[in-house]
Amino acid sequence: MSRKGLLYSILTHVKQHAVLLLLLLLSFGTNAQQINWQEIEPGIWKGMVGIPEAYDLLKASGVKPNHDALAKLPASPFPFSKNEIDGKITDGKTLLRFPLDKTEQLYGFGLNFQTVHQRGKILQLHVDHYGEKDNGRTHSPTPFYVSSRGYGVFINSARYINVYAGTGVRKDSKEAPVSKDRNTDKSWSAHPYSDAVEILVPAAGVEIYVFAGTAPMDAVRRFNLFNGGGVLPPRWGLGFTQRVRSLYTSEEVEKEAASFEAKGFPLDFIGLEPGWQSRSYPGTFEWDKTRYPQPAAFVKRMFDKGIRLNLWINPYVSKQASFYEAMKPYTGSHTVWVGEVPDFLKPEARKIFFDQLQKDQVAIGISGYKIDEVDGYDSWLWPDVATFPSGISAEQMRQTYGLLIQRYSVEMFHEKNQRTFGLVRASNAGGVSMPYVIYNDYYKHEDFITALINSGTAGVLWTPEVRASKTAEEWLRRFQTVIFSPMAMINAWASGTQPWSYPEVTEQVKELSLLRMQMMPYWYSEFAKYHFEGTPPFHGMALEAGFTQQIKKETINNNLEENPYAEATVKEIKDQYMAGENLLVAPLFTGQTSRKVVLPKGKWYDFYTGELAGEGQVITVTPGLSKIPVFVKDGGIIPMMNPMLHAPKRGEKVDIEIRYYGTKTGKYMLYDDDGETFDYEKGEYSFREIKVLKDSKGLFAGTVSDPVKGKPNTIGNISWKFMTK
Ligand code: GAL
């Protein structure tokens, strides 16, 4: 064939394919597309609609599924008939529909603060600072939901996604609701039954994932393991952390640390706020030499006292930064507080930015960062018309900026073989394994607890941080919950508060801080389960086996003028949560002296006394101001250590006290490794099995399996405490 002939034939081919593609695309406009499902991991199916975009949440996070752990989960079939899910492309957007039966409840759709039940919601999933409404705008608007029927769905898109979670009533519904006459029919409903979760993705194609399970927790585990498994913090990350006033000097920081020591309060790391930098908002990412004249010597002195340092940053670059000129070509079209926005999708930007952090801070022993203001609000961040050198849209950048900076910051620590644990204000699906905890500027205590519940289905960690309080009562109530959370922290950047700032309750606060330290073997083992098995260490009751929703009608406002569509709804449990496998935490808030606690099936015991508290029932507790009610599952084992002021050092042996509650046979997997490095990724870890059985005389006896040969062993003497008499 002549060259001309060859060219002609290629062109004809291309034309034919283009016509086919066009026909195919047009047909999406009218017909629902049959989705081709592929089981990519046991119990996880991937489906594609249209042509998914090149950039998505999984690409942004770069995480890899934990195949081995996924293979160990019990097999489960596809949760519904595949034909019940459909997708089509219209107007350049993807329309998705998932089935929803009459009794199903939905959880998830990111880090919500006021609601746990998501059925009936209309949301736009959009990374933002939480604005006091559960409308989809939040720090991690994870496009993942879990059904009470035990399956999960994930939409892998870095777009602002619209969700109609059982709100739209379709004409083609198999069980379309019948219309009723409101004039005469008392059973008329403002919310007729909707049989679908419908989702609009503003792109001409998307990947969707379905996670099977027999219970909601299975689907969550699959989602987490698919995202690489949860983070395993260093032991010190689970101790106590204090963030000091913004303009503190190194001298003041050292004085503060000395007060903790002198007063007997635990402290593992101190957070320095914007004032550590020579300029902030926008930042220079270098030490302020007037406040911190000798950073390396200071960091070392602190480390020698057992205290690490964490640095606040937001990533917006000042003209005064030493690397400003080098960075300039790799920043977006708009500024944030007049700082330039690095495009972390450009390898050059990453190199320049993280080289600065690495050589100036990580190299001298800085243990981690607090990555602020990568979430919103709109008026602060770049607008959706901004452009970035990588070509990624402003929208996709907004949805993934937090993920990108988490991901690439970890590399600095990985290279040093030292784990990090810090804070971040924005994340998304794919962030499960990132060593960061979300926080914000909002401060409603009740809502902080609901966020803790929702973090368990959003693939993130959340801290109900303590800042300042109006009263000693509020201080103590807040302190009680931060101790039972992923990061025990006072954020005193503005207030300068210290644990002992409210003298009336200082003793109680101290006791709680020490309890946090005593519980470290438990916290550490629970995080190991997050990492190796995907079980979120903090989660709501909906993920708990044996928990049945107490269906109670909420009183309704019957004033027709104010609310003509008023309807009673099911009460959601949003003020009690699980802390690890064995503990149920039921906080009290300022002004409360008693509260109701819904105990799941089986017997539950008082954490402090070991006494039976109830069995599958609603109890009322009046614990007094000093106590946060905590209950232990029957057969529950809680490994504890001495109340040390700093987490055990790398490889340091500590004695363990094993507390056992109840009457049932108990089993607990106690995790162990060196506590600080990434060697666990190479198998340098072990789980030791703790068992409690009744012996021939009917007495309880406990055993612990031997240390695993060749693996790190930090467990010294073991003693037992049988809590239930
Ligand atoms: C806020 C952040 C606070 C504190 C402050 C310092 O954005 O949420 O925790 O770090 O910045 O300027």
Side-chain angles (χ1 to χ4, degrees):
M1 202 185 288
S2 70
R3 273 178 68 183
K4 223 169 141 187
L6 184 68
L7 198 67
Y8 178 74
S9 123
I10 291 175
L11 278 175
T12 328
H13 252 90
V14 169
K15 252 196 203 153
Q16 273 171 0
H17 279 106
V19 169
L20 258 177
L21 197 70
L22 196 70
L23 278 175
L24 207 66
L25 280 173
L26 282 175
S27 72
F28 292 157
T30 46
N31 297 316
Q33 190 195 353
Q34 185 65 45
I35 301 169
N36 188 12
W37 292 99
Q38 198 195 344
E39 189 168 5
I40 50 159
E41 298 283 346
I44 305 179
W45 288 262
K46 174 179 168 178
M48 286 211 289
V49 181
I51 301 164
E53 295 184 281
Y55 186 65
D56 56 36
L57 296 174
L58 294 178
K59 300 247 169 54
S61 65
V63 291
K64 305 260 171 326
N66 181 340
H67 304 293
D68 295 346
L70 282 166
K72 282 188 209 141
L73 287 175
S76 294
F78 199 83
F80 16 64
S81 150
K82 288 179 180 144
N83 305 329
E84 285 181 89
I85 305 180
D86 64 38
K88 59 179 157 193
I89 314 290
T90 296
D91 188 25
K93 297 175 184 152
T94 307
L95 278 47
L96 300 170
R97 174 188 183 180
F98 301 89
L100 192 57
D101 79 22
K102 284 204 167 122
T103 59
E104 240 173 313
Q105 187 48 267
L106 302 175
Y107 312 99
F109 295 119
L111 193 64
N112 287 300
F113 285 74
Q114 295 180 339
T115 54
V116 176
H117 293 178
Q118 299 305 316
R119 186 173 187 151
K121 287 288 193 59
I122 297 175
L123 307 161
Q124 188 183 51
L125 305 180
H126 187 311
V127 168
D128 203 349
H129 190 286
Y130 181 65
E132 307 189 27
K133 265 201 187 113
D134 285 5
N135 57 9
R137 281 189 175 243
T138 183
H139 307 272
S140 184
T142 320
F144 170 68
Y145 68 91
V146 192
S147 156
S148 53
R149 283 183 48 210
Y151 66 86
V153 173
F154 164 48
I155 314 296
N156 182 22
S157 167
R159 295 277 173 192
Y160 306 146
I161 298 173
N162 290 337
V163 174
Y164 304 86
T167 59
V169 180
R170 302 184 58 111
K171 290 197 295 184
D172 63 359
S173 166
K174 266 192 245 135
E175 275 185 272
V178 289
S179 96
K180 291 181 179 170
D181 177 14
R182 180 170 156 177
N183 289 342
T184 54
D185 190 342
K186 283 227 159 52
S187 71
W188 179 90
S189 165
H191 299 286
Y193 168 54
S194 160
D195 71 348
V197 175
E198 294 182 284
I199 293 178
L200 177 74
V201 182
V206 73
E207 270 179 19
I208 47 189
Y209 293 84
V210 170
F211 302 82
T214 46
M217 185 60 107
D218 290 338
V220 169
R221 284 193 185 111
R222 282 199 163 95
F223 174 73
N224 288 341
L225 291 171
F226 180 66
N227 284 286
V231 50
L232 179 64
R235 279 199 175 91
W236 58 260
L238 300 175
F240 192 80
T241 179
Q242 171 84 11
R243 304 201 69 85
V244 296
R245 220 195 256 281
S246 199
L247 294 183
Y248 257 28
T249 61
S250 57
E251 231 172 274
E252 287 169 309
V253 176
E254 289 186 74
K255 245 174 80 191
E256 177 114 340
S259 311
F260 270 77
E261 191 81 34
K263 292 177 193 288
F265 280 81
L267 183 60
D268 269 296
F269 58 113
I270 284 187
L272 306 184
E273 288 285 318
W276 73 271
Q277 276 182 89
S278 57
R279 292 177 82 99
S280 69
Y281 291 86
T284 52
F285 307 89
E286 58 199 43
W287 294 90
D288 180 274
K289 289 291 166 64
T290 55
R291 288 185 284 273
Y292 297 87
Q294 292 173 312
F298 160 65
V299 174
K300 177 157 189 319
R301 280 198 303 278
M302 294 294 289
F303 186 81
D304 291 344
K305 292 191 189 112
I307 297 162
R308 288 173 169 77
L309 291 157
N310 173 290
L311 300 181
W312 174 100
I313 53 166
N314 68 25
Y316 312 116
V317 182
S318 157
K319 284 202 169 60
Q320 268 69 38
S322 57
F323 57 92
Y324 172 78
E325 285 301 329
M327 179 64 98
K328 219 171 141 188
Y330 309 110
T331 57
S333 58
H334 289 62
T335 58
V336 176
W337 291 299
V338 205
E340 302 221 5
V341 182
D343 180 346
F344 289 118
L345 286 167
K346 297 293 286 180
E348 296 90 339
R350 300 202 289 266
K351 179 148 180 36
I352 297 165
F353 188 84
F354 291 109
D355 272 2
Q356 169 62 20
L357 270 51
Q358 201 285 329
K359 70 168 199 279
D360 197 47
Q361 300 128 42
V362 178
I364 63 169
I366 287 302
S367 71
Y369 290 88
K370 165 174 169 179
I371 305 168
D372 204 17
E373 290 142 345
V374 284
D375 47 351
Y377 293 99
D378 283 1
S379 56
W380 291 329
L381 290 202
W382 57 89
D384 288 346
V385 296
T387 56
F388 287 88
S390 61
I392 237 50
S393 68
E395 173 182 2
Q396 291 168 304
M397 196 58 104
R398 178 79 173 262
Q399 294 295 73
T400 58
Y401 206 65
L403 275 183
L404 293 172
I405 191 162
Q406 290 181 77
R407 170 182 179 180
Y408 293 113
S409 65
V410 174
E411 289 181 358
M412 297 186 291
F413 296 96
H414 217 270
E415 260 163 40
K416 278 186 98 179
N417 197 22
Q418 271 173 22
R419 279 180 245 172
T420 177
F421 200 46
L423 294 141
V424 73
R425 238 172 57 181
S427 196
N428 212 325
V432 179
S433 64
M434 310 285 180
Y436 288 94
V437 180
I438 300 181
Y439 65 98
N440 68 8
D441 283 338
Y442 183 63
Y443 205 43
K444 190 148 187 249
H445 193 196
E446 287 87 338
D447 293 359
F448 271 18
I449 300 313
T450 304
L452 201 48
I453 290 172
N454 288 323
S455 68
T457 46
V460 296
L461 299 171
W462 158 259
T463 173
E465 67 171 39
V466 185
R467 299 203 276 267
S469 298
K470 291 200 185 74
T471 60
E473 177 194 1
E474 184 196 338
W475 182 253
L476 185 54
R477 287 303 186 202
R478 285 186 181 274
F479 212 89
Q480 288 169 344
T481 56
V482 86
I483 290 303
F484 286 88
S485 88
M487 191 178 273
M489 172 171 72
I490 294 179
N491 178 11
W493 77 278
S495 61
T497 49
Q498 291 150 326
W500 50 88
S501 287
Y502 298 78
E504 306 95 295
V505 294
T506 296
E507 269 321 298
Q508 290 97 317
V509 166
K510 186 168 171 180
E511 207 179 294
L512 280 161
S513 312
L514 294 171
L515 176 63
R516 170 80 183 189
M517 299 307 283
Q518 280 181 282
M519 290 176 74
M520 194 168 283
Y522 178 69
W523 298 131
Y524 199 51
S525 296
E526 292 306 314
F527 271 93
K529 288 174 208 162
Y530 190 30
H531 179 71
F532 291 101
E533 295 165 13
T535 311
F538 295 88
H539 60 260
M541 305 314 297
L543 298 188
E544 197 50 27
F547 181 75
T548 39
Q549 181 68 49
Q550 306 282 319
I551 298 178
K552 222 204 252 151
K553 300 270 171 167
E554 274 177 354
T555 43
I556 54 165
N557 173 2
N558 274 323
N559 182 333
L560 279 178
E561 270 180 32
E562 278 176 22
N563 189 0
Y565 310 111
E567 265 178 327
T569 49
V570 171
K571 190 169 168 20
E572 45 183 5
I573 306 295
K574 54 179 191 173
D575 60 356
Q576 64 178 65
Y577 60 95
M578 294 299 297
E581 182 184 327
N582 289 330
L583 299 179
L584 189 162
V585 182
L588 274 82
F589 305 104
T590 309
Q592 275 186 323
T593 48
S594 77
R595 63 158 291 165
K596 288 196 162 64
V597 185
V598 185
L599 298 174
K601 242 197 247 148
K603 294 190 168 82
W604 290 80
Y605 295 84
D606 184 295
F607 172 67
Y608 308 96
T609 64
E611 275 166 32
L612 180 66
E615 181 172 4
Q617 70 195 91
V618 181
I619 57 169
T620 299
V621 291
T622 310
L625 180 59
S626 299
K627 288 240 147 37
I628 173 168
V630 179
F631 304 95
V632 191
K633 227 177 242 179
D634 195 4
I637 287 169
I638 312 287
M640 315 262 284
M641 66 174 202
N642 285 329
M644 297 161 73
L645 295 189
H646 311 286
K649 293 199 184 64
R650 179 173 171 180
E652 181 182 340
K653 269 207 163 58
V654 292
D655 295 347
I656 300 276
E657 178 188 277
I658 299 171
R659 294 197 183 170
Y660 164 82
Y661 293 80
T663 57
K664 246 184 161 173
T665 306
K667 187 180 142 188
Y668 189 81
M669 300 307 280
L670 177 65
Y671 179 71
D672 197 12
D673 68 10
D674 69 28
E676 286 184 16
T677 74
F678 286 99
D679 290 354
Y680 67 90
E681 293 180 345
K682 297 178 222 135
E684 289 301 300
Y685 69 88
S686 65
F687 278 100
R688 287 173 69 179
E689 190 178 57
I690 304 178
K691 264 196 201 151
V692 175
L693 297 168
K694 254 188 201 151
D695 65 14
S696 53
K697 293 188 200 105
L699 292 173
F700 284 104
T703 57
V704 181
S705 65
D706 289 338
V708 181
K709 270 215 185 85
K711 303 290 176 195
N713 174 17
T714 72
I715 296 159
N717 293 325
I718 296 172
S719 59
W720 293 84
K721 200 164 179 179
F722 291 88
M723 294 295 291
T724 306
K725 302 284 174 262

